[in-house]
């Protein structure tokens, strides 16, 4: 195997050896077309009430993402957008679906609450039952399944009480992580799953170890330590990569759909044997969202 020169950039203390045999697993993604996408209120530090959104550009960026998913073998389904719900494009926030069981959302911001009903209607029409949480909970924005766990963010949106509800509902150990930086108000802005542990289970011979990438400073000291213990080989991102929405990425175990400006992260992923697929969702950054926010995974 030829040896590649090591590009400059942050290197985690215990790097995983590069592996050329990363196996992708085809996914089923749920999205919502940004027909009514806009910034009309400010519920996170990225949003400005006077922001100008270019809807045409937003639509073409979003379509590029959908095409990239399909080109890499993934199934994409779509919830019809609703007028008056400018954040509905952020499908990740609507639910967490694991083993075909749907844990719905209960939004923190009153402006977003009607989105839950729109998504629930889609799930019910598609044949799923939907559990409606009592506690404030923003779906995959704060709930991230990886290996034998569900990582669960709190601090800005989803509450600790919701983490308990998640654990009771799925029977999966749910690990609370405290977010401490308002720019990273959802767990999926500070952490993403590179491999959830199921890749290669179809006999393709890939690695099956679960792993993540994250920005440690977004987390409290204790939560940082938890992540360090659980994922000693994680990819550690810089603030620059995190502010470029680099951690709001989607991985199929091999291809990583990632914001192009997260260049340090892209270099690290390449060194680890992943294949970055840059997709620019800059218009959505004005609302505090990126690739992962626009994507919910339906896990059967
Ligand atoms: N404007 C939306 C909000 O603040 C953005 C949601 C982004 N979604 C995500 N999964 N991080 O709620």
């Amino acid at each position: 195997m030829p040896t590649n020169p090591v590009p400059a950039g942050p290197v985690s203390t215990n790097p995983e050896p590069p592996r050329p045999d990363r196996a992708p697993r085809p996914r089923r993604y749920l999205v919502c077309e940004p027909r009514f996408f806009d910034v009309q209120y400010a519920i996170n530090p990225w949003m400005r009430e006077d922001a100008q959104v270019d809807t045409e550009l937003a639509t073409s960026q979003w379509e590029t993402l959908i095409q990239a998913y399909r080109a890499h073998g993934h199934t994409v389904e779509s919830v019809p957008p609703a007028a008056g719900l400018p954040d509905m494009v952020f499908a990740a926030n609507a639910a967490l679906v694991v083993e075909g069981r749907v844990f719905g959302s209960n939004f923190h911001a009153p402006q977003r609450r009607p989105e839950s009903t729109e998504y629930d209607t889609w799930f019910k029409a598609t044949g799923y039952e939907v559990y409606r949480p009592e506690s404030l909970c923003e779906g995959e924005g704060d709930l991230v399944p990886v290996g034998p766990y569900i990582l669960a963010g709190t601090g800005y949106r989803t509450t600790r009480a919701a983490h308990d509800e998640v654990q009771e509902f799925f029977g999966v150990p749910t690990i609370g992580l405290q977010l401490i930086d308002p720019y990273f108000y959802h767990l999926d802005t500070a952490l993403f799953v590179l491999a959830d542990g199921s890749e290669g289970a179809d006999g393709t011979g890939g690695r099956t170890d679960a792993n993540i990438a994250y920005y440690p400073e977004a987390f409290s000291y204790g939560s940082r330590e938890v992540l360090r213990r659980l994922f000693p080989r994680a990819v550690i991102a810089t603030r620059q990569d995190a502010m470029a929405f680099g951690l709001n990425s989607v991985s199929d175990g091999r291809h990583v759909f990632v914001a192009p400006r997260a260049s340090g992260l892209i270099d690290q992923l390449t060194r680890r044997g992943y294949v970055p697929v840059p997709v620019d969702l800059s218009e959505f950054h004005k609302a505090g969202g990126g690739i992962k926010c626009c994507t919910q995974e339906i896990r059967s």
Side-chain angles (χ1 to χ4, degrees), residues 63-75:
E63 280 167 356
T64 304
L65 177 65
I66 306 309
Q67 281 157 14
Y69 286 151
R70 293 198 166 125
H72 288 85
H74 305 297
T75 303

Side-chain angles (χ1 to χ4, degrees), residues 43-44 47 87 90 92-93 112 141 157 185-186 188-189 287-288 293:
I43 55 171
N44 69 53
M47 299 176 92
D87 273 334
F90 300 119
N93 301 142
R112 296 199 65 187
R157 304 288 180 90
Y185 58 95
H186 271 148
D188 75 357
T189 62
C293 301

Side-chain angles (χ1 to χ4, degrees), residues 96-98 101-103 150 165-172:
L96 169 67
V97 185
V98 176
R101 299 184 67 221
V102 183
F103 187 93
I150 294 174
E165 266 188 273
V166 168
Q167 180 163 289
E168 279 306 312
F169 181 77
F170 291 110
V172 173

Side-chain angles (χ1 to χ4, degrees), residues 37 39 46 51-54 57-62 64-65 90 243-245 248 258-261 278-291 294:
F37 171 61
V39 177
W46 303 92
Q52 298 295 315
V53 170
D54 181 339
L57 177 58
T59 303
S60 81
Q61 291 181 336
W62 183 86
T64 304
L65 177 65
F90 300 119
M243 291 295 282
F245 284 85
N248 197 244
V258 58
R261 284 193 301 114
V279 179
D280 188 12
L281 290 195
S282 59
E283 272 318 280
F284 298 92
H285 299 176
K286 296 174 179 173
I291 293 171
C294 290

